[in-house]
Amino acid sequence: MRKIILSAIGIVLIALSFYIAKSLIANKNKPRPVKEKVIKTVLIDTVKNETVKIVIPANGSLVAKRRVELFAEVQGVFKPSRKFFKPGQTYKKGEALITMDASEYFASVQSAKSNLYNTLAAIMPDLRLDFPDVYDKWRSYLAKFELDKATPALPEITSEKENYFITGRGIVSSYYNVKNLEQRLSKYSISAPFTGILTQALVTEGSLIRSGQKLGEFIDPSVYEMEVALSKGYASLLRVGERVLLNNLDGTEFYKGIVSRVNGSINAGTQTITAFIEVKDEKLKEGMYLEARLDAKEETNAIEVDRNLLLEGQQVFVVRDSVLDVIDVKPVHFSDTKVILKQIPDGTIMLKKPVPGAYAGMLVKPFRSSVKKGDK
């Protein structure tokens, strides 16, 4: 019985082995499936050289072109006025910004003017006797002398004797002393040098103002300037009076400006040149951050494409009979996203969008976009 069972098992194993071997031989002879070759579709466009404007991007903050930092030259108590000295307050040209109490100093000025008047009155009899030819002009001057008004200029001295007489009596020195006091008295009131707005106020009514103390800042809100730093390579391209288009960071507001000034020297540390763009608009405020686009010059026989189309070695992909190839080009200007190229013949078919994994000799399926290369 044992021999019969072992014999049966051996026959089964031999039959199973024969079946497996036959299956392996059959599968080996089956043809393998051929992988279908995928041809990428690429966007193309035909090159048409034209005149391309080189635009220099820049940005910066606005600063009022006319601004004044207010400082006190005398000491006194800030007197209240019709308008509060607060940021945002507007003043017209010549209107008093700050007035300090000058009653004590005013009294000393009046005392000096009174002394000058008394001195002039004392010499009148001597002038009438010794200098009758100049008596009338000094009498006329004395008649116009008023203590509550500015001291008028002394009459012109026409002779050497008259000069010795007037100077010897101390009239000239007394006159200039009075004018000096009057000039200092005028500094107790600070007037607006132009129509504008107060942007900073560091003192309040009733406070004691000391000499040399900063009081605030005053600007003209009608004209602003934006300082921009550009690469030294643009130094020869910038022109005073060049029109500039500016916009806010959101790109929702646009303003027109001009290049008002260009610095004559290049910053040695950053190798940049500074230009100032003047802009006027009622919507603008000091400190606003704007972007500018300066039209530097025009490049003829060139095209503008995306920077990522330019390969290393200054080459670009072109399509010839549905096969990619590369040609040499000459970049003349780079911006953040664009590059201006030359030396590409008209009619050349080149890629409009980069193709991942592209190589020279790659088979592609061209697809022409409806948007032309010259369109912005």
Side-chain angles (χ1 to χ4, degrees):
M1 182 61 68
R2 182 178 178 185
K3 291 180 180 181
I4 293 172
I5 293 173
L6 291 175
S7 299
I9 292 173
I11 293 171
V12 171
L13 289 175
I14 292 172
L16 184 61
S17 300
F18 179 76
Y19 177 77
I20 293 174
K22 188 176 181 180
S23 299
L24 290 175
I25 293 172
N27 291 334
K28 186 176 180 181
N29 294 330
K30 286 184 178 180
R32 295 182 179 180
V34 179
K35 187 177 180 180
E36 184 179 356
K37 190 173 184 179
V38 178
I39 301 177
K40 290 187 177 181
T41 302
V42 296
L43 289 175
I44 62 169
D45 202 357
T46 303
V47 173
K48 182 180 179 181
N49 288 287
E50 54 190 2
T51 300
V52 181
K53 287 185 177 180
I54 294 181
V55 179
I56 306 172
N59 50 64
S61 299
L62 293 180
V63 177
K65 188 174 183 178
R66 301 176 68 189
R67 62 182 302 111
V68 176
E69 291 187 345
L70 305 174
F71 285 89
E73 297 184 67
V74 294
Q75 180 171 307
V77 176
F78 189 178
K79 294 173 60 177
S81 61
R82 184 174 58 88
K83 290 184 177 181
F84 289 105
F85 190 75
K86 300 291 184 182
Q89 188 66 263
T90 58
Y91 295 87
K92 294 182 179 180
K93 182 178 180 179
E95 191 175 357
L97 296 171
I98 292 178
T99 302
M100 289 174 276
D101 185 10
S103 56
E104 182 179 351
Y105 194 81
F106 178 76
S108 64
V109 174
Q110 294 299 94
S111 176
K113 292 174 68 175
S114 178
N115 291 335
L116 175 60
Y117 182 85
N118 294 336
T119 304
L120 287 169
I123 68 170
M124 295 307 293
D126 294 335
L127 283 175
R128 186 171 187 179
L129 294 174
D130 299 333
F131 303 94
D133 54 333
V134 299
Y135 173 76
D136 290 338
K137 70 178 181 181
W138 285 98
R139 185 183 64 176
S140 176
Y141 175 79
L142 194 62
K144 295 187 297 182
F145 197 102
E146 298 182 26
L147 292 178
D148 57 344
K149 294 183 179 179
T151 304
L154 292 175
E156 183 182 359
I157 298 176
T158 56
S159 66
E160 187 176 355
K161 289 183 179 181
E162 181 187 4
N163 181 44
Y164 288 152
F165 181 80
I166 297 298
T167 306
R169 296 301 179 92
I171 293 176
V172 175
S173 61
S174 297
Y175 167 78
Y176 283 109
N177 179 56
V178 170
K179 297 302 289 184
N180 180 56
L181 294 175
E182 288 180 338
Q183 183 68 24
R184 189 166 182 82
L185 179 63
S186 66
K187 296 178 180 179
Y188 278 83
S189 178
I190 301 177
S191 302
F194 46 81
T195 300
I197 185 170
L198 193 68
T199 58
Q200 185 182 43
L202 302 177
V203 292
T204 56
E205 290 84 351
S207 59
L208 176 63
I209 297 175
R210 294 177 174 83
S211 178
Q213 180 179 352
K214 185 176 180 180
L215 308 177
E217 292 184 2
F218 186 72
I219 69 167
D220 179 1
S222 62
V223 184
Y224 293 95
E225 276 190 338
M226 186 175 76
E227 179 181 347
V228 295
L230 306 171
S231 173
K232 66 178 182 179
Y234 302 130
S236 61
L237 305 179
L238 293 174
R239 295 288 184 272
V240 174
E242 189 78 25
R243 296 192 177 274
V244 183
L245 181 64
L246 303 99
N247 61 271
N248 59 3
L249 295 181
D250 297 331
T252 57
E253 299 288 341
F254 296 89
Y255 312 96
K256 294 180 180 179
I258 61 171
V259 178
S260 59
R261 290 175 290 134
V262 178
N263 199 333
S265 62
I266 294 175
N267 188 304
T270 61
Q271 289 296 295
T272 57
I273 186 170
T274 304
F276 296 87
I277 301 172
E278 181 179 311
V279 57
K280 301 178 183 179
D281 197 285
E282 295 179 352
K283 300 178 183 178
L284 297 175
K285 302 292 182 183
E286 188 174 59
M288 285 182 64
Y289 196 83
L290 298 180
E291 296 177 340
R293 295 173 63 84
L294 291 80
D295 293 334
K297 70 171 185 178
E298 294 182 346
E299 196 71 46
T300 59
N301 295 323
I303 62 170
E304 185 179 37
V305 299
D306 293 337
R307 285 190 64 165
N308 49 17
L309 291 178
L310 183 64
L311 307 175
E312 295 183 4
Q314 298 183 355
Q315 295 178 322
V316 294
F317 279 117
V318 296
V319 180
R320 294 173 177 168
D321 299 328
S322 300
V323 177
L324 289 184
D325 197 3
V326 293
I327 61 172
D328 296 328
V329 295
K330 180 183 177 182
V332 293
H333 175 73
F334 291 89
S335 64
D336 292 340
T337 59
K338 300 288 186 177
V339 58
I340 297 177
L341 304 177
K342 300 191 73 171
Q343 297 183 354
I344 302 180
D346 283 337
T348 302
I349 299 176
M350 63 176 294
L351 295 183
K352 186 166 183 155
K353 297 293 181 181
V355 178
Y359 56 90
M362 179 179 178
L363 188 64
V364 294
K365 181 181 180 181
F367 177 80
R368 189 177 300 274
S369 174
S370 59
V371 180
K372 296 183 180 180
K373 186 170 294 295
D375 296 341
K376 300 293 182 184

